[in-house]
Amino acid sequence: QVQLQESGPGLVKPSQTLSLTCTVSGGSITTSYYAWTWIRQAPGKEREGISCISENDQSTYYADSVKGRFSISRGSVKNTVYLQMNSLKPEDTAVYFCATHISDYLCSQLSKDVSAWGQGTQVTVSS
């Protein structure tokens, strides 16, 4: 069974950059039918799918709220996925979850219907 663990600094100032890491254990990140996604939940709001990368063809998808500022990538270290977050805004404050899909379609839709979740990591953007 795939297990996911997020890590990354928790507090940054507006306009700064932050990188989150998702480390996968209990399964292979190279399994072709997996896709890797980041989902966040801001205080008092529903969870929002913000980015996904397909393992099949490395296609990437972004929510409008983060497009042009965030970048998802596979790590050169096996079983690692990154989320690079640039030009952070206070409205990016949320708990960020790493998760997996078993469908490229669900990945492309930034679906919250995932097959496995990480425990989440808090990101706070504040001056």
Side-chain angles (χ1 to χ4, degrees):
Q1 183 177 354
V2 173
Q3 294 181 327
L4 309 168
Q5 179 66 57
E6 306 89 346
S7 62
L11 176 63
V12 294
K13 295 182 179 180
S15 79
Q16 288 188 335
T17 294
L18 183 65
S19 181
L20 300 180
T21 301
C22 176
T23 303
V24 182
S25 62
S28 172
I29 197 173
T30 61
T31 303
S32 62
Y33 53 82
Y34 278 117
W36 310 91
T37 192
W38 287 94
I39 294 170
R40 69 183 182 185
Q41 186 167 22
K45 296 187 177 181
E46 293 186 356
R47 290 185 177 181
E48 174 192 18
I50 57 171
S51 186
C52 190
I53 184 167
S54 167
E55 189 59 32
N56 277 334
D57 60 8
Q58 302 299 298
S59 294
T60 56
Y61 306 92
Y62 298 94
D64 289 342
S65 58
V66 305
K67 195 173 294 181
R69 298 188 299 124
F70 290 13
S71 177
I72 189 172
S73 62
R74 285 271 315 280
S76 57
V77 175
K78 197 174 181 180
N79 289 5
T80 304
V81 175
Y82 300 111
L83 183 68
Q84 176 76 18
M85 303 185 291
N86 300 324
S87 303
L88 282 161
K89 305 174 182 180
E91 51 263 43
D92 293 317
T93 295
V95 177
Y96 284 72
F97 299 89
C98 177
T100 64
H101 288 301
I102 58 172
S103 159
D104 281 347
Y105 174 74
L106 292 176
C107 177
S108 69
Q109 300 300 303
L110 298 176
S111 173
K112 293 171 287 185
D113 182 13
V114 303
S115 57
W117 288 93
Q119 65 181 25
T121 187
Q122 177 70 45
V123 172
T124 301
V125 184
S126 175
S127 55

